[in-house]
Amino acid sequence: MIQVPPAEIPPPVWDLTVGLIEATVQLDQPSGPDTRTVGTGFLIQAPRPDGTPRVVLVTAAHVLERMEDPEARIGWRTALPDGSWRFDPQPLTIRDDAGEPLWTRHPERDVAVMEVAAPDAFARAAIPLGWLADENAFDAWQVGPGDELLSLGFPRGLSANRAGFPILRVGRIASYPLSPVTAFPTFLLDFTVFPGNSGGPVFWTPSARKRPGATEPENAFIAGLLSQEVRVGEDQLDIGVVTHAVFIREAIGLLD
C-alpha cells in the first residue's frame, strides 16, 4: 500500500479526476508555418528536501526532445469573474542559451520533469507527490489485466473546450504481468492514442471499473504516464504504452 503522509491526503470529497483535469496542461511549439508539436503535461507538488514548495511539470521526455526551439508554450487557464474560463498559454523556456535542456530526463525511461513557476491557481491544483503509485501499489491493490484506467490528454492538439481543458479517456489494461516494475517498466492500455496524448497522466479512481472480486484500492492513484501508441507498420492498433509512475518518482528525485 502506498504510504501517503497525512498532510498530503486531500479531504474525502476530493476527486482525483477533477483534480488531475485542473493540473493537466497542453504543451506545444510551432514546427512549421501551419503545424506544431503538441504534448501533454501534468503538475506535481514535490517539495524540496528543505520543505519549501516546488511545482514540477511531468511529461514524456520525447515531447520536449522533439521541441527544438528554446521556448515552448504551456497552456495555463484563467478563471473569469462570470464563471467562465480563458485559455491563456504562456512561454515556457525549455532550453538554455547553449541549447541544453532545462528538464531532467529519467536515465532509462521516457519521463521528463522540470520545475516550473506556475500561476497560483495551478500551484494549488498540483497533485501531491504521494498520489503517484509506488513499486508495490499494483500488487497491493490487485491491479491487473481488464481493469479500467483513465487518461487525460490533448489528442492532435484538441482540448475539451475553448478554455483548454484536457480530454478524458478510458481504457483497459491490456498486458500481463504488471510487476515487478523493474522487469516490466511499462504496460499496455487498450484505447486509441493520438499525437498530443503523450505525457498525459494515467490514473485510477472509484469511477473506473475493476474485475469482479478484485480488491478495491483505498485511494485513487496515478498509475503512470502515457509514453506512446503502438503501431505495426502503418497500422494503428489502438493501444497505448504506459510508463509506471515509480519512474516519475525517480525522475523527481533526480531534481534533488
Side-chain angles (χ1 to χ4, degrees):
M1 175 178 177
I2 294 177
Q3 299 297 315
V4 182
E8 292 188 354
I9 299 176
V13 297
W14 193 78
D15 182 349
L16 181 60
T17 303
V18 175
L20 265 173
I21 287 173
E22 294 178 343
T24 298
V25 292
Q26 183 180 118
L27 304 170
D28 76 297
Q29 184 182 88
S31 55
D34 300 308
T35 59
R36 58 191 179 123
T37 300
V38 181
T40 302
F42 58 101
L43 304 176
I44 294 292
Q45 297 174 18
R48 297 181 183 87
D50 63 3
T52 56
R54 177 176 58 186
V55 176
V56 174
L57 173 69
V58 178
T59 188
H62 75 263
V63 169
L64 297 178
E65 289 169 352
R66 291 176 181 175
M67 296 180 178
E68 298 179 354
D69 294 336
E71 191 173 272
R73 293 196 315 169
I74 185 167
W76 303 130
R77 299 174 293 267
T78 301
L80 302 178
D82 63 359
S84 62
W85 292 78
R86 182 180 69 243
F87 185 50
D88 191 20
Q90 297 295 323
L92 175 69
T93 302
I94 59 173
R95 299 177 188 275
D96 63 20
D97 292 342
E100 294 299 315
L102 295 177
W103 67 85
T104 297
R105 181 189 171 119
H106 190 281
E108 299 174 344
R109 305 298 163 206
D110 189 13
V111 177
V113 297
M114 65 180 292
E115 182 175 353
V116 293
D120 289 345
F122 278 88
R124 292 192 298 269
I127 306 300
L129 181 67
W131 290 81
L132 291 169
D134 66 13
E135 65 273 13
N136 301 313
F138 279 21
D139 285 339
W141 291 333
Q142 298 180 24
V143 177
D147 287 343
E148 284 186 347
L149 295 174
L150 306 179
S151 181
L152 290 164
F154 299 92
R156 297 200 182 279
L158 294 178
S159 56
N161 44 47
R162 292 182 179 179
F165 283 95
I167 295 173
L168 179 67
R169 308 282 298 282
V170 64
R172 290 184 179 273
I173 296 175
S175 56
Y176 177 86
L178 302 177
S179 63
V181 296
T182 51
F184 303 98
T186 63
F187 61 92
L188 303 181
L189 196 64
D190 179 20
F191 84 122
T192 305
V193 181
F194 296 96
N197 282 125
S198 292
V202 175
F203 60 103
W204 182 88
T205 74
S207 62
R209 290 175 291 180
K210 283 186 61 66
R211 295 160 294 152
T215 298
E216 182 99 341
E218 296 181 7
N219 294 307
F221 62 92
I222 300 173
L225 66 76
L226 188 70
S227 299
Q228 66 184 82
E229 62 177 324
V230 177
R231 284 182 174 268
V232 177
E234 296 299 318
D235 295 330
Q236 184 178 8
L237 301 188
D238 294 344
I239 296 174
V241 178
V242 181
T243 299
H244 276 285
V246 67
F247 300 108
I248 302 174
R249 285 177 171 268
E250 290 179 359
I252 291 174
L254 294 175
L255 295 176
D256 301 325

